[in-house]
Amino acid sequence: MRIGELARRAGVTTKAVRYYESLGLLEPRRLANGYRDYDEHDVRVAREIRALGSLGIAVERTRPFLECLAAGHRHADDCPASLVGYRDAIDELTQRIDGLTARRAVLIAHLREAAHRGSRVSPADEGEDLMTDHTSPTGSTGLPGSGSLTGFASLTDYTRLPADLPVPEDDGAAAHLPGTRVPHLRFPDTGGGTVGIGDLGPGRTVIYVYPLTGRPGTDLPDGWDAIPGARGCTPEACGFRDHHRDLLAAGASGVFGLSSQDTGYQREVVDRLHLPFAMLSDPALSLARTLNLPTFEAGGLTLYKRLTLIVRDGVIEHVFYPIFPPGEHAGQVLAWLRDNPL
């Protein structure tokens, strides 16, 4: 057969076939007119070179495998020399992985240092190891209090929301809350004390409940952006930060964020985002059980669905649910307070 037919049947280019010949891996016979004449063995050789190339074995290193075929073996890796070829390729790949892993570790160190610069919480104080399982691109990254989340440490800018986020629908899961008295539960806060939400006193208190806040160097659960209402905790927190004084002026006696994340994790967020209010930690989801608040599952975790409670004199006066877009929610709360003065 001619070179064009060989290339087509082997799934390679004619240029590749000529390169194989230049290395002595293909040796077609010559016809009287000078044309190369290839046979079925040449097709098999070219296919084997292509298959080995897809494994990362360079053309120049395929000779032991081809010699195994030429010796009459059914498979190109039936010979001891072929196994040596596999091991050499694995060793080379391991060296490359080690080099990339070391580079990744340096990048993570720089990222953590930059992300915590100016924060009272140092990377060493977080109790977090971002360096887990560097030998695999599907290794896990530890999230304090959350179990294992897959993937490389994310470099996502959590202050920006993707344009195509799914909009959550009102499933009625918060319809029973208005008029309900809040339970006498106490939660640790990021200021080092505890807050009893049943003892907030007179006036209105804004408690926005959120799933979890992402931060640089920490992955979110797989498929996070596809879960309606999940993404956006950082923009929401920044909104309440930016509107904090206006909320107080509009009649709110205080603002709190509440999630199932631990206090240490929340404290880093408060410091990094310069939040003027405290976060409350409810890792046991006590408030969800007591008030039957809506939750969802993600990455093996049970998390709060995003909602906001306006508590007045120990009773839930108003509920915002669902919330979208989260970055504009603080403005929605402010508008409600102004439209419903005490």
Side-chain angles (χ1 to χ4, degrees):
M1 70 186 75
R2 298 289 181 84
I3 187 171
E5 183 180 355
L6 168 66
R8 179 183 59 80
R9 291 181 58 187
V12 298
T13 64
T14 56
K15 183 177 180 180
V17 172
R18 293 190 179 96
Y19 180 59
Y20 302 160
E21 288 185 38
S22 69
L23 296 177
L25 303 177
L26 282 176
E27 297 179 353
R29 70 187 187 92
R30 291 279 183 172
L31 300 177
N33 58 8
Y35 289 143
R36 299 176 179 85
D37 184 32
Y38 301 91
D39 57 20
E40 293 298 325
H41 177 74
D42 295 322
V43 174
R44 189 179 183 190
V45 167
R47 286 174 176 170
E48 189 65 34
I49 295 173
R50 179 173 60 86
L52 291 170
S54 68
L55 297 177
I57 298 177
V59 174
E60 297 82 355
R61 297 188 178 183
T62 61
R63 193 177 301 277
F65 298 89
L66 304 182
E67 290 176 349
C68 193
L69 285 179
H73 292 279
R74 182 177 180 183
H75 301 102
D77 53 9
D78 283 339
C79 304
S82 304
L83 304 184
V84 173
Y86 279 148
R87 294 191 183 99
D88 289 344
I90 292 170
D91 289 343
E92 181 179 343
L93 187 60
T94 299
Q95 291 178 0
R96 292 172 60 190
I97 291 174
D98 290 344
L100 291 172
T101 299
R103 187 186 306 174
R104 177 177 181 268
V106 173
L107 283 170
I108 288 176
H110 282 282
L111 170 62
R112 295 179 67 183
E113 180 181 356
H116 295 84
R117 189 172 296 129
S119 170
R120 295 197 304 270
V121 181
S122 69
D125 293 335
E126 295 175 10
E128 176 184 28
D129 182 12
L130 294 176
M131 316 292 279
T132 303
D133 193 10
H134 292 329
T135 59
S136 169
T138 57
S140 62
T141 299
L143 178 65
S146 69
S148 178
L149 305 178
T150 59
F152 279 140
S154 174
L155 300 181
T156 303
D157 180 1
Y158 296 126
T159 63
R160 300 177 181 271
L161 295 179
D164 57 349
L165 284 179
V167 179
E169 298 182 359
D170 189 352
D171 56 5
H176 66 287
L177 293 173
T180 302
R181 181 163 292 277
V182 295
H184 289 280
L185 296 174
R186 299 194 69 85
F187 300 106
D189 68 14
T190 49
T194 60
V195 172
I197 63 169
D199 305 311
L200 295 172
R204 286 170 169 161
T205 301
V206 178
I207 303 176
Y208 74 90
V209 181
Y210 63 95
L212 60 82
T213 306
R215 63 180 176 183
T218 302
D219 282 338
L220 294 171
D222 287 340
W224 188 249
D225 287 1
I227 302 173
R231 179 74 180 270
C233 297
T234 297
E236 183 180 28
C238 291
F240 278 105
R241 175 198 65 195
D242 298 341
H243 288 293
H244 187 247
R245 290 185 179 180
D246 295 330
L247 291 166
L248 299 182
S253 59
V255 176
F256 295 99
L258 184 146
S259 76
S260 60
Q261 292 172 293
D262 63 56
T263 303
Y265 193 95
Q266 291 178 331
R267 188 178 296 117
E268 188 278 334
V269 174
V270 169
D271 287 347
R272 175 165 47 84
L273 300 181
H274 305 290
L275 303 182
F277 51 84
M279 296 285 202
L280 307 181
S281 176
D282 183 16
L285 299 173
S286 302
L287 191 62
R289 292 198 305 271
T290 306
L291 290 179
N292 193 25
L293 299 185
T295 60
F296 68 101
E297 304 291 327
L301 312 174
T302 301
L303 303 169
Y304 278 109
K305 284 190 177 182
R306 193 184 312 280
L307 60 84
T308 294
L309 307 175
I310 306 296
V311 178
R312 180 179 179 182
D313 297 331
V315 175
I316 299 174
E317 180 183 11
H318 186 74
V319 178
F320 293 87
Y321 177 85
I323 293 169
F324 194 86
E328 300 176 12
H329 176 52
Q332 297 167 351
V333 175
L334 177 60
W336 186 88
L337 290 173
R338 288 173 173 172
D339 290 342
N340 298 271
L342 289 174

